[in-house]
Amino acid sequence: MNTIYLDNNATTKIDPLVLKEMMPFLTDYYGNPSSMHKFGGQVSSDIAKARHNLASLLNAQPDEIIFTAGGTESDNTAIYSALEAQPEKKHLITTRVEHPAILNVCHHLEERGYEVTYLNVDEKGRLDLEELRGALRPDTALVTIMYANSETGVIFPMHEIAKIVKERGIILHTDAVQAVGKIDINLEKLPVDYLSLSGHKIHGPKGIGALFVRKGVSFRPHLRGGHQEHGRRAGTENTAAIVGIGKAAELAQINMEIENTGVKHMRDTLEKGLLKTIPDAIINGDTENRLPNTTNISFKHVEGEAILLMMDGHGIAASSGSACTSGSLEPSHVLRAMGVPFTFAHGSIRFSLSRFNSDDEIKVVLKELPPIIKRLREISPYKNEESTPRSCSCK
Ligand SMILES: *Cc1c(COP(=O)(O)O)cnc(C)c1O
């Protein structure tokens, strides 16, 4: 049975063209790009090409791109860089709905004496920009706000955020791992200082990412050692993966239009079809400002994990959002921050599509899912409860 893969915000399939581009670097071209001989030098021009492709996708300069080992490293590097560059400033601002690669760094920093402001979101997952404005302080070292939410697809108004933060001269980082390749990002017009992205979220390989650091903005390396990446990230380059993310960036640019037409159309068909055939279902998040590939739907009185298991039995792969500890019955931190009622939050499913999905696959989901929900509701222990506030204690 072929899997219908609708979990592209967790990771994506490597585009076959990316793999083809990478293969020679795992076989014949194994030279170290730092070596003096031709064997190494040749590889270094392929790295330069990849850097150029990434810069071009973001409308940045190639020397503003630092390769890292993924989105997590880029996020960590950005935060620690801003703090180390301004040791007298002990305050950070972020949001309640960030990826753990941001939130857990912030929690760690709180234990080390930093103060962190976590901005709230409303019931649609939107920020209050006045709350952001009010949170900025003279000792704020960094504002780090994600571009688009992995679980709901909600896009934050990054241009307005940048205007507010940069007026005060504070360093601004955005985790754009979910936004890159799905929506247009033009760093010549968008004055963020640091931006994180990841290879495996854009049909490239895992374990490779990049951090954009705007020219002239303070930067302190997270990894020290050799002189790779102009001394900004030490360690022998992961050449095959770098070539892979470069090709993925090139293809993302070419396919951006498809993301916003074909992929969006499939997502909308899925969403409308499910709302029409399944009662007591709601969409989570601001549908006006949302990634074209994502929908997060809650089905009242059913457990997301049960839905996932039954869909899995039909070869459909999706996600229940990130339950904070696997096996726990706590709804995701994002839905809790949005105040989604308990009876809905537990039954939430995230479908995230890609250009490798087809209309036929969406038809299969529309046929298989309604009877699954019906059956689970028949056996649900909650079906007679209304909004029982079973407490959520998970941090
Ligand atoms: C996946 C993801 C990350 C982590 O990226 P890795 O390359 O897996 O380390 C960070 N932020 C967001 C928003 C993500 O979706």
Side-chain angles (χ1 to χ4, degrees):
M1 183 164 54
N2 282 332
T3 299
I4 298 179
Y5 186 76
L6 301 173
D7 201 10
N8 287 278
N9 289 7
T11 194
T12 58
K13 169 194 165 89
I14 282 206
D15 190 308
L17 295 172
V18 169
L19 181 64
K20 187 162 166 254
E21 198 92 352
M22 287 172 69
M23 278 312 271
F25 295 88
L26 293 163
T27 52
D28 296 337
Y29 303 155
Y30 54 83
N32 187 323
S34 300
S35 300
M36 292 298 289
H37 42 71
K38 275 205 206 75
F39 199 56
Q42 171 191 26
V43 177
S44 108
S45 68
D46 292 294
I47 290 180
K49 185 178 149 199
R51 200 184 306 281
H52 178 273
N53 285 347
L54 270 188
S56 162
L57 177 64
L58 303 171
N59 201 12
Q61 302 300 318
D63 60 359
E64 293 175 317
I65 303 293
I66 302 170
F67 289 114
T68 66
T72 301
E73 187 190 314
S74 297
D75 285 348
N76 274 257
T77 304
I79 294 175
Y80 287 113
S81 169
L83 298 184
E84 231 188 279
Q86 310 162 92
E88 71 290 355
K89 297 187 176 175
K90 301 287 184 196
H91 176 237
L92 294 85
I93 298 171
T94 186
T95 79
R96 294 198 180 281
V97 296
E98 300 292 310
H99 189 273
I102 296 289
L103 284 179
N104 285 337
V105 178
C106 288
H107 296 153
H108 176 66
L109 286 165
E110 282 179 301
E111 286 165 15
R112 290 174 45 189
Y114 283 89
E115 201 184 322
V116 182
T117 301
Y118 299 92
L119 301 174
N120 295 301
V121 293
D122 69 8
E123 75 289 349
K124 289 192 163 181
R126 294 173 300 200
L127 285 175
D128 175 354
L129 295 182
E130 285 315 309
E131 190 189 352
L132 165 64
R133 206 187 294 275
L136 300 171
R137 308 193 324 209
D139 66 336
T140 305
L142 175 74
V143 175
T144 172
I145 296 182
M146 70 200 319
Y147 208 126
N149 192 275
S150 6
E151 291 187 37
T152 58
V154 170
I155 300 168
F156 283 150
M158 202 47 63
H159 285 265
E160 292 164 54
I161 290 168
K163 189 160 177 286
I164 292 169
V165 175
K166 293 320 294 175
E167 259 170 17
R168 297 280 297 267
I170 296 167
I171 296 183
L172 174 62
H173 166 248
T174 183
D175 174 344
V177 169
Q178 291 294 347
V180 169
K182 294 174 190 150
I183 55 175
D184 186 43
I185 297 176
N186 181 345
L187 290 174
E188 209 165 88
K189 297 222 172 93
L190 176 67
V192 301
D193 300 302
Y194 299 154
L195 176 145
S196 301
L197 63 93
S198 172
H200 74 101
K201 305 284 172 82
I202 59 167
H203 303 290
K206 295 172 179 59
I208 185 74
L211 180 66
F212 158 85
V213 177
R214 189 175 296 279
K215 211 174 284 177
V217 173
S218 316
F219 180 76
R220 299 289 183 278
H222 191 46
L223 293 184
R224 290 162 204 279
H227 287 112
Q228 293 88 358
E229 301 295 294
H230 294 288
R232 295 179 297 179
R233 199 280 188 181
T236 301
E237 296 86 343
N238 186 352
T239 44
I242 289 174
V243 167
I245 197 176
K247 186 67 185 177
E250 183 193 325
L251 294 169
Q253 201 164 8
I254 295 168
N255 289 304
M256 187 95 67
E257 183 64 27
I258 294 178
E259 227 24 88
N260 289 285
T261 52
V263 175
K264 183 171 186 292
H265 180 74
M266 284 189 282
R267 190 275 311 269
D268 291 343
T269 306
L270 175 66
E271 191 172 88
K272 283 195 194 103
L274 291 177
L275 289 182
K276 205 170 123 193
T277 50
I278 303 175
D280 283 329
I282 55 166
I283 307 296
N284 295 309
D286 177 12
T287 52
E288 301 286 306
N289 297 293
R290 194 168 52 151
L291 294 174
N293 79 318
T294 308
T295 177
N296 187 311
I297 310 183
S298 283
F299 304 100
K300 196 177 182 183
H301 291 323
V302 270
E303 289 288 349
E305 281 71 19
I307 305 172
L308 284 188
L309 281 176
M310 290 190 63
M311 286 202 299
D312 199 34
H314 289 85
I316 302 165
S319 156
S320 65
S322 51
C324 47
T325 36
S326 67
S328 94
L329 289 175
E330 301 289 350
S332 88
H333 71 287
V334 176
L335 298 187
R336 278 187 298 136
M338 291 162 63
V340 176
F342 158 79
T343 43
F344 278 99
H346 277 277
S348 84
I349 298 290
R350 176 188 72 190
F351 298 96
S352 47
L353 285 62
S354 83
R355 61 180 187 259
F356 291 100
N357 289 121
S358 68
D359 292 330
D360 284 345
E361 290 180 328
I362 299 305
K363 273 186 203 141
V364 173
V365 181
L366 286 174
K367 177 167 155 278
E368 302 291 355
L369 190 52
I372 289 176
I373 302 290
K374 187 156 182 278
R375 230 191 104 208
L376 286 172
R377 279 180 177 159
E378 281 161 7
I379 59 170
S380 165
Y382 315 120
K383 65 183 169 205
N384 296 321
E385 292 175 33
E386 259 324 303
S387 228
T388 317
R390 194 172 65 176
S391 71
C392 295
S393 57
C394 164
K395 293 242 157 52

